[in-house]
């Protein structure tokens, strides 16, 4: 898969930790930044990652800020984006099975790199179950409001 990844300064260290591991799994990576721990505004990276996913130029997105909250708020403003803020394995897995999440948000100041990596692996490999969950997703499609 092609994975778009982005962070602000609060998620930079975790992004850098995850990148080579994701690459070693055989995925293609598009890193939209940031590229240092200098302070930046997370909506910029959220916009860049979700833009790639929305246009089909990336299959999935990963967004990391300090808490993951700002990134998830920003990402879920974008039609077609289903961003899940997760900090443990169960919700990371269920965000795929039931919610078909196409963006995973995490907090670099909330979880450690080992847990984040386990979450990313399960999130990248778990399929969407469809069926009744598809009907529910259609009910929250921005075009249905
Ligand atoms: C930056 O200090 C911090 O506010 C940001 O990384 C994020 O946690 C916002 O939701």
């Amino acid at each position: 898969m092609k994975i778009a990844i982005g962070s602000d300064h609060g998620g930079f260290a975790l992004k850098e930790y995850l990148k080579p591991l994701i690459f070693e799994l055989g995925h293609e990576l598009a890193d939209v930044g940031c590229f240092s721990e200098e302070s930046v505004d997370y909506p910029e990276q959220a916009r860049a990652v979700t833009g790639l996913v929305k246009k089909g130029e990336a299959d999935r997105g990963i967004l990391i800020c300090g808490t993951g909250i700002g990134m998830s708020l920003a990402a879920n403003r974008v039609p077609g984006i289903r961003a899940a803020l997760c900090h443990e394995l169960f919700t990371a897995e269920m965000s795929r099975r039931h919610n078909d999440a196409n963006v995973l948000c995490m907090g670099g100041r909330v979880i450690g790199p080992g847990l984040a990596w386990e979450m990313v692996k399960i999130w990248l490999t778990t399929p969407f179950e469809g069926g009744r969950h598809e009907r529910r997703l259609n009910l929250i499609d921005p075009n249905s409001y």
Side-chain angles (χ1 to χ4, degrees), residues 28 36 51 55 82 89 98 109 125 136:
E28 214 181 308
S36 76
K55 285 185 280 182
R82 294 173 300 279
L89 292 170
H98 286 190
R109 295 173 181 158
T125 53
R136 291 163 187 165

Side-chain angles (χ1 to χ4, degrees), residues 73-126:
L73 291 177
N76 278 311
R77 302 290 295 174
V78 180
I81 296 301
R82 294 173 300 279
L85 171 57
C86 302
H87 287 134
E88 33 68 37
L89 292 170
F90 180 69
T91 49
E93 178 178 347
M94 296 309 281
S95 78
R96 287 291 314 137
R97 281 198 194 291
H98 286 190
N99 310 113
D100 198 18
N102 51 12
V103 173
L104 174 65
C105 299
M106 294 180 285
R109 295 173 181 158
V110 181
I111 51 172
L115 175 56
W117 175 229
E118 292 304 318
M119 287 168 53
V120 167
K121 277 191 290 186
I122 205 161
W123 188 76
L124 289 176
T125 53
T126 301

